[in-house]
């Protein structure tokens, strides 16, 4: 009888994780975590309204929405080195374009390039590659990689502040961003990653293998066409979309503190620090949530729900205390982490790995379409009804997210009998 063994961790497995870390730390963090810092500087430099610059973010998200299904197909069928390197080059080229752009129209062109690059680098590459290379602890490693968007965001924000303090023009900073993006991505996407472990004569870490046969296990799951005909798929899409709206309540923290006119502290400073504290929290909780999801996706979902509820209540009713506000922002980071950690884990557990990138790219389409307008939704609610309604709406959304997530996990079980190998 053939002996059953498990694939051990190899240097190749670790290099895949390192690549995931570097593309999120560099390209993705530079893109998503610093645009708010550029907004007033670029608007003033170009002589346009801040809303005109902010529109470039909407263009970027809409581009990702349109490109997501196509990127999923490419990542499913082509060499990951080609797709990831091409995506990184698009991000580098976008920063280069912005480094000499003197009209807002060129920023919109750059936004399209960023959207085409980031849909793979941030949303699809890490969950797809980690799920291919890791049968065990995939959630932990997804969380570890995604944590570096927050870590990178904190570092690059500090770098931006230092460069501006020395009087550097935003064009030069964008040029520096292009160099950083290239250095932190291309050496890794070209040299350190392969599409599948079988390409290196390996198998997914933790996969059970018949030693005598030596054959690599095939990925199993529902086909994309079958998955997209199930109610579970549409529930996952709504689940992911609502998460992306709910977590962006955190972007309202600085505006919220400005309404605390009787507070015994500097509300502007506290609002800014709440955002920083939340970024630190979500980076830490991404790793914790990923590890928890490996053991129990249901448990991770309930944990994230509790973190979101506790964070909102602390911010809402702890308005008279800086420490309560900071604690609320930090704890809410546990909910914020669900977007890029729990959603890919739930998709994999629901539909398997067979055509994971195709299925997840469809979910990502909904995710990014909502992201294009989520910030404006919260701003409208806050302006029209005030922060009490904002917090109540956030709590209601969290309850719906919890119920949807539990439904997805339960309903997906009945499709396990239909899973096939590729």
């Amino acid at each position: 009888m053939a002996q059953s063994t498990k694939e051990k961790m190899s240097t190749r497995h670790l290099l895949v994780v390192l690549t995931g870390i570097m593309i999120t730390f560099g390209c993705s963090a530079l893109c998503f975590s610093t645009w708010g810092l550029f907004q007033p500087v670029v608007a003033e430099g170009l002589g346009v309204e801040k809303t005109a610059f902010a529109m470039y973010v909407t263009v970027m998200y809409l581009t990702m929405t349109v490109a997501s299904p196509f990127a999923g197909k490419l990542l499913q069928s082509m060499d990951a080195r080609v797709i990831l390197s091409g995506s990184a080059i698009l991000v580098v080229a976008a920063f280069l374009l912005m480094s000499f752009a003197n009209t807002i129209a060129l920023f919109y062109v750059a936004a399209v390039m960023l959207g085409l690059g980031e849909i793979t680098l941030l949303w699809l590459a890490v969950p797809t590659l980690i799920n291919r290379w890791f049968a065990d602890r995939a959630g932990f490693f997804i969380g570890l990689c995604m944590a570096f968007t927050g870590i990178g965001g904190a570092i690059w924000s500090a770098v931006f502040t230092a460069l501006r303090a020395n009087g550097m023009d935003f064009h030069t900073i964008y040029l520096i961003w292009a160099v950083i993006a290239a250095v932190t991505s291309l050496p890794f996407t070209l040299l350190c990653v392969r599409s599948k472990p079988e390409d290196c004569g390996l198998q997914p870490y933790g996969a059970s293998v018949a030693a005598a046969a030596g054959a690599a296990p095939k990925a199993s799951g529902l086909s994309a066409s079958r998955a997209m005909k199930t109610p579970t798929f549409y529930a996952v899409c709504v689940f992911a979309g609502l998460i992306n709206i709910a977590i962006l309540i955190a972007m309202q923290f600085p505006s919220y503190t400005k309404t605390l006119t009787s507070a015994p502290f500097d509300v502007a400073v506290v609002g800014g620090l709440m955002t920083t504290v939340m970024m630190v929290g979500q980076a830490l909780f991404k790793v914790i949530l990923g590890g928890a999801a490996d053991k129990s996706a249901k448990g991770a979902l309930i944990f994230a729900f509790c973190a979101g509820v506790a964070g909102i209540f602390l911010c809402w009713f702890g308005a008279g205390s800086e420490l309560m506000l900071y604690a609320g922002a930090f704890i809410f980071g546990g909910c914020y982490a669900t977007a890029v950690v729990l959603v890919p884990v739930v998709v994999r557990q629901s539909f398997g790995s067979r055509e994971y990138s195709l299925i997840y790219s469809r979910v990502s389409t909904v995710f990014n379409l909502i992201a294009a307008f989520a910030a404006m939704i919260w701003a409208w609610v806050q302006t029209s009804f005030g922060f009490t309604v904002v917090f109540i709406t956030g709590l209601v959304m969290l309850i719906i997210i919890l119920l949807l997530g539990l439904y997805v996990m339960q309903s997906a079980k009945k499709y396990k009998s239909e899973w096939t190998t590729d």
Side-chain angles (χ1 to χ4, degrees):
M1 183 179 290
Q3 248 189 343
S4 180
T5 61
K6 284 194 172 185
E7 182 70 25
K8 296 181 180 179
M9 187 76 72
S10 70
T11 301
R12 280 290 184 183
H13 291 90
L14 293 175
L15 286 175
V16 170
V17 175
L18 178 61
T19 302
I21 287 173
M22 294 308 297
I23 60 177
T24 54
F25 174 73
C27 288
S28 297
L30 287 168
C31 177
F32 291 99
S33 299
T34 66
W35 72 264
L37 298 171
F38 280 101
Q39 179 171 313
V41 178
V42 174
E44 181 182 355
L46 298 182
V48 299
E49 295 293 328
K50 291 180 182 178
T51 52
F53 177 82
M55 183 59 68
Y56 115 97
V57 180
T58 300
V59 172
M60 179 175 64
Y61 273 106
L62 290 176
T63 301
M64 289 193 290
T65 299
V66 174
S68 185
F70 304 101
K73 287 182 180 179
L74 291 175
L75 200 56
Q76 182 76 18
S77 59
M78 291 184 62
D79 190 329
R81 287 174 293 179
V82 175
I83 303 302
L84 268 61
S85 299
S87 298
I89 289 170
L90 280 168
V91 173
V92 172
F95 285 136
L96 284 175
L97 177 59
M98 290 187 283
S99 73
F100 63 78
N102 288 313
T103 65
I104 195 65
L106 289 179
F107 276 85
Y108 297 153
V109 174
V112 173
M113 297 166 68
L114 286 172
L116 292 173
E118 290 292 353
I119 185 58
T120 299
L121 293 177
L122 179 61
W123 300 111
L124 301 181
V126 169
T128 296
L129 289 175
I130 295 297
N131 279 318
R132 286 178 183 173
W133 280 80
F134 292 86
D136 289 345
R137 305 190 71 195
F140 170 79
F141 287 112
I142 290 174
L144 178 63
C145 292
M146 290 302 190
F148 279 82
T149 56
I151 295 170
I155 292 174
W156 305 132
S157 295
V159 171
F160 176 92
T161 302
L163 294 176
R164 284 296 298 169
N166 288 324
M168 187 171 290
D169 179 69
F170 73 83
H171 287 105
T172 307
I173 298 177
Y174 272 127
L175 181 60
I176 293 172
W177 263 213
V179 173
I180 294 173
V183 171
T184 56
S185 61
L186 291 172
F188 302 93
T189 60
L190 288 170
L191 304 175
C192 296
V193 73
R194 293 293 184 273
S195 298
K196 298 178 181 179
E198 300 90 271
D199 297 339
C200 307
L202 298 170
Q203 297 176 25
Y205 166 73
S208 296
V209 184
K218 294 183 177 181
S220 64
L222 287 182
S223 66
S225 59
R226 174 65 182 122
M228 287 186 285
K229 292 176 182 176
T230 65
T232 302
F233 172 79
Y234 294 99
V236 168
C237 288
V238 177
F239 171 73
L242 287 179
I243 284 176
N244 212 28
I245 297 177
I247 62 173
L248 288 183
I249 198 174
M251 298 300 103
Q252 294 296 312
F253 288 164
S255 298
Y256 168 60
T257 59
K258 289 180 181 178
T259 67
L260 307 177
T261 53
S262 60
F265 47 78
D266 188 325
V267 293
V269 172
V270 170
L273 285 175
M274 283 178 72
T275 301
T276 303
V277 168
M278 194 281 296
M279 289 178 65
V280 173
Q282 58 103 348
L284 176 63
F285 280 116
K286 281 175 181 175
V287 180
I288 295 173
L289 200 65
D294 286 329
K295 300 182 183 301
S296 170
K298 182 178 179 180
L301 172 63
I302 293 172
F303 170 83
F305 168 78
C306 293
V309 170
I312 288 177
F313 273 121
L314 283 169
C315 292
W316 189 2
F317 296 109
S321 167
E322 291 178 70
L323 291 179
M324 291 284 276
L325 291 174
Y326 294 148
F330 180 82
I331 292 171
F332 191 81
C335 181
Y336 201 97
T338 56
V340 291
V341 176
L342 188 57
V343 171
V345 171
V346 169
V347 171
R348 181 193 186 187
Q349 292 189 5
S350 299
F351 304 112
S353 303
R354 179 186 166 192
E355 294 189 334
Y356 175 85
S357 63
L358 293 177
I359 298 169
Y360 187 65
S361 68
R362 265 57 170 198
V363 176
S364 181
T365 298
V366 177
F367 204 90
N368 286 299
L369 178 62
I370 289 174
F373 304 101
M376 289 186 284
I377 291 171
W378 284 121
W380 174 77
V381 173
Q382 182 267 313
T383 302
S384 303
F385 306 104
F387 276 101
T388 296
V389 175
V390 167
F391 290 135
I392 292 173
T393 303
L395 291 170
V396 171
M397 280 190 177
L398 289 175
I399 293 171
I400 296 172
I401 288 167
L402 174 65
L403 295 176
L404 272 173
L406 294 175
Y407 165 76
V408 167
M409 293 172 196
Q410 183 62 35
S411 65
K413 293 178 181 178
K414 63 185 178 184
Y415 301 111
K416 287 283 180 100
S417 61
E418 299 181 40
W419 284 24
T420 56
T421 57
D422 53 9

